[in-house]
Structure formats: structure tokens, C-alpha cells
Amino acid sequence: MILQTEVTDFIRREREARGRRLDDQAAVLRPTLEHLKIGVCLFDVRLHLLVWNERLAEFLTLPRNRLWRGMHFDALLEQVRGQFIFPGGHSARQLSDWVRRARRLETFQIEVTRDGGQVYEIFAQELPDGGFVVSLEDITEVRSTLAE
């Protein structure tokens, strides 16, 4: 019985240490992410939101309380699913499918529009630990300039 208690205590301490390391990493990342002109969010291997910047919330037109650490990717996708128009034959389902792949060897990239003519590029890439990063960039000006 003592051995089981020691193992359980060890596992609990390891999980707490891992949580502190993730908190420390997020504290370092946040100022860097806030400096970017693109919206960015990072998810862990279990598809839970680790960190994001305010630009992401702005681009997704979400109030601050609609994003939280530990939020599952599906919950975020459900909140924003209807905001974007995907090009012919494409849908948010493709991003969801990419997220669920065991190995995401290739990146995910697509341009979407929003009512009012805004154009965004969604870019996603796997991280070395099995998590992934998603960025959202407003490319409306670029597309408008190229169309002239």
C-alpha cells in the first residue's frame, strides 16, 4: 500500500511540475504574441488551448471571456464556424480533420472571407511536442491591391 501511495504522489508531483512549466512558458510567450500583427493561438497535443493573443480575439470578434486556457479546439471552432466563408468546396471541417490527424506532416493553409469583404489567411502547423499553432492574418489589403 505504501508503494502505491508513493507512486501516486510522484505522479501528482510530476503533473504539477509540468503544469508550472507550461505556465512559465505561457508567461514568456504572451508578450511575444501580443507584439504580432497576426492572431495566434497554440494548442497542446490534447487539443486544449494553451495561449493566444488579443489580435486573435479581435479577428474572431470574440469577447475576452469566450477564450480561456484549456478550452478545447472544438469549442473554439464551434464559436467561429459561421463567421467565415470558405472557398468553393472547402469548409471548417477540413481544419478540424487536419487537427485530428495522428501526424500533421504538412501544414494547413486556406484563405477565407467574411461578410463585408475581409479576407483572412488561416495557417496551422504542428509543433514538435504534438501540439499545434494556428495563425489568422488579415490579408484584405494585399488581396485588394493585387485585384487592382
Side-chain angles (χ1 to χ4, degrees):
M1 186 65 159
I2 291 175
L3 181 60
Q4 183 179 5
T5 302
E6 290 174 0
V7 169
T8 302
D9 288 345
F10 175 76
I11 291 170
R12 183 179 42 74
R13 285 191 306 272
E14 285 297 311
R15 285 182 181 161
E16 289 171 356
R18 182 176 182 274
R20 283 191 300 276
R21 283 192 305 273
L22 288 175
D23 288 343
D24 291 346
Q25 291 170 352
V28 170
L29 278 174
R30 185 162 303 281
T32 304
L33 295 179
E34 291 304 334
H35 179 72
L36 300 174
K37 293 182 180 191
I38 61 174
V40 179
C41 56
L42 282 81
F43 289 86
D44 66 16
V45 70
R46 297 176 308 153
L47 313 184
H48 292 127
L49 185 60
L50 294 173
V51 66
W52 65 96
N53 64 0
E54 288 298 317
R55 185 74 55 153
L56 180 78
E58 176 187 321
F59 286 165
L60 297 178
T61 64
L62 290 175
R64 288 182 178 196
N65 66 348
R66 299 298 300 260
L67 290 170
W68 62 89
R69 189 165 190 260
M71 174 185 210
H72 195 274
F73 173 80
D74 291 341
L76 177 57
L77 187 60
E78 189 58 36
Q79 289 186 62
V80 301
R81 184 179 301 273
Q83 288 189 23
F84 300 104
I85 301 163
F86 286 76
H90 296 281
S91 71
R93 174 89 176 155
Q94 288 169 302
L95 175 57
S96 181
D97 290 345
W98 180 88
V99 163
R100 284 174 170 61
R101 289 186 188 153
R103 294 293 303 160
R104 303 173 203 100
L105 300 177
E106 74 287 343
T107 59
F108 179 89
Q109 187 172 0
I110 194 165
E111 288 184 18
V112 296
T113 57
R114 177 180 273 153
D115 286 339
Q118 291 171 298
V119 182
Y120 293 92
E121 180 179 61
I122 299 173
F123 182 81
Q125 184 170 5
E126 184 172 40
L127 298 172
D129 68 356
F132 59 98
V133 60
V134 178
S135 65
L136 189 65
E137 182 176 7
D138 185 343
I139 59 170
T140 306
E141 251 183 65
V142 172
R143 288 296 168 244
S144 178
T145 300
L146 289 174
E148 292 177 357

